[in-house]
Amino acid sequence: MPKKSKSNKGERIRRTLRQWQARLIDVLLGTYLALLLHRIWYYHVILGTPPPPFDVGDFPLYLIIGGGIFLVLNFLKASPATLIHAHPEGRRRSIAVHLWWWIGISTILTGWIVTRVSVFDLFSTEGLQGARRIFSAIFSPDLSILWQGLTAIVETIYLAMMATLFAIPIAFILSFLAARNLMQHHPVARLIYSLTRLLINFTRSIEPLIWAIIFTVWVGIGPFAGMLALWVHTVASLTKLYSEQIENINPGPIEAIEATGARWIHVLWFAVVPQVLNPFMSFTIYRWDINVRMATVIGLVGGGGIGTLLMQYQGLALWHQVGTLVILIALVVWVMDYLSARIRAALA
Amino acid sequence: MSLLTLHDLHKVYPNGTHALKGINLDVKEGEFLVVIGLSGSGKSTLLRCINRLIDPTSGSIRFAGKDVTQLSGAELRRYRAQIGMIFQHFNLINRHSVLHNVLYGALGRLPLLGPLLGHFPDELKVEARRHLTLVGLADKETNRVDALSGGQQQRVAIARSLMQHPRLLLADEPVASLDPATSHSVMQYLEKINKEQGTTIICNLHFLSLVRRYASRVIALRAGEMVFEGKPEDITEAWFKKIYGEDAEEVEIK
């Protein structure tokens, strides 16, 4: 029975791994809870003063006390992580559940304190006056800059379009390399797949705003920098969307075309591409729509278009002019959103 | 003369499933060989090993006197081009026209660039229309295939495989998603190709009534092993129980 003992061994290894995983999670959670109990509950809630600045030297203390207690609980099968893998009963379960509640509530409390949520600021007389001033200015726009605003927003729309257009061919090719179902047959292919995914996820994790800052330094302030920023981000996003679409196709036609003795490129072109073309177009239009909105924000950091104009008027506190631009942006975003939804519905 | 010889063919999937356990099979030119067995008995794996859509783990495949077990690249494609294949779910290219779907059967012998640009030689179109006429779909060539009925789609798939001028035609449960009347029509087209063009056919089937009607020889697989080999009329009640299990009941398809 060599096969059976092998599977038992596999099962044992998996169980041991799960146990160590649970212990690690418990130590991390315990440390976290100890930190929050001391610095948030003790200082902010009980003493009402901000805690002293955090010192890295304190960290081992939290680790030993919090992590230690949780680790002991883990061995007693009454720790939070126990609940992930097992179903303890009675008092053990009750302790574990209570600790989860403490972690959850402390986390929300911490969030409240960190973001300095203040109902007082939101509804103070002074604050409300300021808000009214801006809103009334926005809703009595200065139409003398309408032409200037229109020119700028057309620039934004074209900028978004160029970023999308230039992204399509690159995303199209990359998406095939980033599709698991097409890249699993060969070790080299799997490596290419992993590298492409890594590159895409890294690029996507950097916001277009940051890319815009990078490109304004690289090519100078203006629409070109904005276009490049959107382009980089769009390539990454479209590749991800496209490749997920490829992963969802019906493998039957691939088999059928392969069985005719067709070349690999013909298999892609005749069995894969027809299945993904419409969804690709739909994603692309959706992305253009997103890009118009993003292009506005990117203009704020010097990426050209209406965002840059908005920034200038806002810097001079010319709220009536800002109002004109805000209304223009809202209008264009609404129209783009509507059109893109209609086109995508027609493609589906 | 034997067209295809499988010797001690094994297939173990990465997840450990032992789908084929030493299949030995000799297929003569012009046979209509039917493979029966429960779902999961290895029938589909067997067919896909023959045209190397799946690589066998061990054993050898000889086709027309040539060992094809290790072929790769352009040689493998040339080998596959000689073997047509039709599927339970037809596997046509939806949204594309009937004529184009048939033309795709010739991809194995076309140059790289032409098809990518949508160019197919006129003589191929003439040939494709001939095959469409053979399967009774001459008037449908401009239709989108996804607008056709199941039986019609399977006939398009047959026409596509004919574009390969196949010496061997593999049919993986070609009628399993069709109604009984349509099933017979599709089987009759396969029979016609077998009889008139001498194309060897290996076909997976579920219904014994179809097996008795169309097969010239039958093999049965059970858990990856060949448990029966003989004439369709030799499948007695006892053999049936052995192939499909004690609880099985035969279902007729008229």
Side-chain angles (χ1 to χ4, degrees):
Chain A
M1 306 284 277
K3 205 178 164 196
K4 198 170 177 202
S5 80
K6 194 183 164 199
S7 78
N8 275 348
K9 195 181 170 197
E11 181 57 36
R12 252 203 330 276
I13 291 172
R14 269 198 296 280
R15 203 164 47 229
T16 316
L17 269 176
R18 266 210 305 275
Q19 268 168 10
W20 280 103
Q21 195 184 18
R23 281 170 203 159
L24 180 69
I25 293 171
D26 269 331
V27 169
L28 292 174
L29 285 175
T31 313
Y32 175 68
L33 188 59
L35 252 161
L36 296 193
L37 284 177
H38 183 234
R39 298 184 65 85
I40 301 294
W41 286 101
Y42 180 67
Y43 280 104
H44 279 284
V45 179
I46 297 175
L47 298 185
T49 56
F54 189 77
D55 184 45
V56 185
D58 295 340
F59 188 74
L61 206 62
Y62 294 117
L63 183 74
I64 291 166
I65 297 174
I69 292 173
F70 270 48
L71 197 59
V72 171
L73 287 174
N74 181 296
F75 284 113
L76 297 173
K77 300 209 181 311
S79 68
T82 321
L83 289 186
I84 300 173
H85 298 304
H87 301 278
E89 289 300 328
R91 182 178 293 164
R92 286 174 174 162
R93 182 181 172 79
S94 151
I95 293 173
V97 171
H98 271 93
L99 285 171
W100 272 119
W101 274 107
W102 270 98
I103 292 165
I105 290 169
S106 307
T107 301
I108 294 170
L109 181 73
T110 309
W112 185 279
I113 289 168
V114 165
T115 46
R116 301 195 184 88
V117 174
S118 162
V119 180
F120 177 76
D121 282 346
L122 193 59
F123 293 111
S124 71
T125 331
E126 201 184 333
L128 284 175
Q129 268 172 3
R132 214 184 66 202
R133 203 170 58 241
I134 285 192
F135 275 115
S136 62
I138 284 173
F139 288 114
S140 58
D142 171 10
L143 293 179
S144 67
I145 65 149
L146 188 64
W147 190 247
Q148 191 188 15
L150 272 175
T151 316
I153 205 155
V154 165
E155 188 175 285
T156 297
I157 293 170
Y158 273 91
L159 188 156
M161 185 194 72
M162 290 311 276
T164 317
L165 275 183
F166 284 156
I168 293 170
I170 296 168
F172 185 83
I173 293 166
L174 284 180
S175 66
F176 286 88
L177 304 180
R180 186 193 301 270
N181 54 339
L182 302 180
M183 301 297 285
Q184 63 188 2
H185 304 293
H186 197 271
V188 177
R190 279 198 292 272
L191 183 71
I192 294 173
Y193 162 82
S194 304
L195 289 177
T196 316
R197 279 272 144 150
L198 194 72
L199 179 77
I200 291 309
N201 287 332
F202 175 74
T203 313
R204 251 164 43 84
S205 67
I206 300 175
E207 282 293 311
L209 206 62
I210 314 282
W211 283 114
I213 292 168
I214 293 169
F215 282 116
T216 48
V217 175
W218 193 336
V219 301
I221 285 175
F224 186 48
M227 197 276 274
L228 285 174
L230 281 179
W231 172 73
V232 169
H233 201 256
T234 305
V235 167
S237 299
L238 282 182
T239 304
K240 189 174 158 63
L241 289 172
Y242 287 178
S243 63
E244 274 162 14
Q245 191 60 39
I246 295 175
E247 284 173 359
N248 283 328
I249 61 167
N250 170 11
I254 297 180
E255 261 194 328
I257 300 294
E258 260 189 321
T260 66
R263 290 176 172 80
W264 186 227
I265 194 101
H266 284 161
V267 175
L268 290 183
W269 189 252
F270 291 106
V272 180
V273 171
Q275 290 193 62
V276 296
L277 212 54
N278 269 16
F280 277 22
M281 271 157 58
S282 172
F283 287 141
T284 310
I285 288 164
Y286 177 55
R287 190 65 217 180
W288 183 19
D289 170 22
I290 292 177
N291 276 352
V292 170
R293 269 175 278 166
M294 278 193 175
T296 313
V297 179
I298 275 171
L300 298 179
V301 295
I306 195 147
T308 304
L309 198 60
L310 186 74
M311 205 59 194
Q312 286 163 7
Y313 284 119
Q314 183 265 332
L316 299 170
L318 296 168
W319 297 113
H320 296 282
Q321 284 76 357
V322 169
T324 315
L325 301 183
V326 168
I327 290 169
L328 262 179
I329 292 168
L331 214 62
V332 167
V333 166
W334 178 73
V335 170
M336 286 296 295
D337 192 57
Y338 175 77
L339 282 180
S340 107
R342 286 295 294 268
I343 297 172
R344 279 183 288 134
L347 282 173
Chain B
M1 172 197 159
S2 94
L3 177 68
L4 177 77
T5 310
L6 306 180
H7 177 67
D8 196 26
L9 206 65
H10 284 264
K11 175 62 190 180
V12 184
Y13 283 105
N15 67 11
T17 312
H18 203 151
L20 296 177
K21 298 172 184 160
I23 301 293
N24 288 292
L25 180 64
D26 203 58
V27 183
K28 303 264 181 299
E29 192 113 49
E31 271 195 275
F32 197 125
L33 177 73
V34 168
V35 186
I36 57 173
L38 290 168
S39 301
S41 61
K43 304 191 300 292
S44 291
T45 305
L46 179 69
L47 246 56
R48 282 166 176 72
C49 279
I50 291 172
N51 67 354
R52 298 272 316 278
L53 283 180
I54 292 175
D55 281 326
T57 311
S58 67
S60 74
I61 309 162
R62 290 183 75 82
F63 183 81
K66 194 172 166 238
D67 191 326
V68 296
T69 326
Q70 302 295 333
L71 292 185
S72 65
E75 276 187 324
L76 175 60
R77 291 206 313 271
R78 271 197 293 279
Y79 165 60
R80 277 180 185 156
Q82 304 172 57
I83 301 175
M85 188 164 190
I86 62 174
F87 304 83
Q88 178 183 348
H89 298 296
F90 327 130
N91 294 350
L92 300 173
I93 312 306
N94 289 337
R95 298 172 193 278
H96 287 204
S97 74
V98 168
L99 184 70
H100 270 93
N101 266 282
V102 177
L103 286 170
Y104 299 156
L107 281 173
R109 57 194 149 101
L110 285 173
L112 177 69
L113 212 54
L116 292 181
L117 301 172
H119 175 74
F120 291 90
D122 286 336
E123 60 268 26
L124 277 186
K125 288 184 185 161
V126 172
E127 191 194 333
R129 290 192 182 102
R130 205 174 68 229
H131 296 316
L132 277 174
T133 310
L134 181 86
V135 296
L137 291 173
D139 55 333
K140 301 277 188 209
E141 68 168 74
T142 53
N143 287 40
R144 267 171 64 154
V145 287
D146 38 359
L148 301 183
S149 71
Q152 290 173 329
Q153 292 198 31
Q154 194 60 294
R155 277 140 66 192
V156 175
I158 293 174
R160 172 173 68 187
S161 73
L162 291 179
M163 285 301 281
Q164 295 174 240
H165 313 141
R167 295 187 67 178
L168 172 64
L169 184 58
L170 305 172
D172 188 18
E173 301 188 12
V175 297
S177 39
L178 301 177
D179 59 63
T182 320
S183 295
H184 270 296
S185 142
V186 165
M187 289 307 294
Q188 275 157 11
Y189 282 114
L190 291 181
E191 188 180 40
K192 191 171 165 189
I193 291 159
N194 175 249
K195 294 254 161 70
E196 291 176 9
Q197 309 190 4
T199 308
T200 311
I201 292 182
I202 303 179
C203 179
N204 291 346
L205 279 181
H206 268 311
F207 288 105
L208 280 179
S209 49
L210 291 178
V211 177
R212 294 199 184 95
R213 164 76 178 73
Y214 296 100
S216 67
R217 187 160 68 112
V218 181
I219 61 167
L221 298 185
R222 184 172 181 175
E225 285 173 283
M226 205 157 108
V227 293
F228 176 87
E229 197 263 301
K231 295 274 164 206
E233 54 270 25
D234 297 340
I235 307 175
T236 56
E237 183 76 4
W239 273 115
F240 183 78
K241 297 271 186 219
K242 184 158 190 230
I243 297 162
Y244 286 101
E246 286 301 324
D247 301 331
E249 291 269 356
E250 194 182 335
V251 182
E252 276 283 310
I253 174 171
K254 296 282 181 198

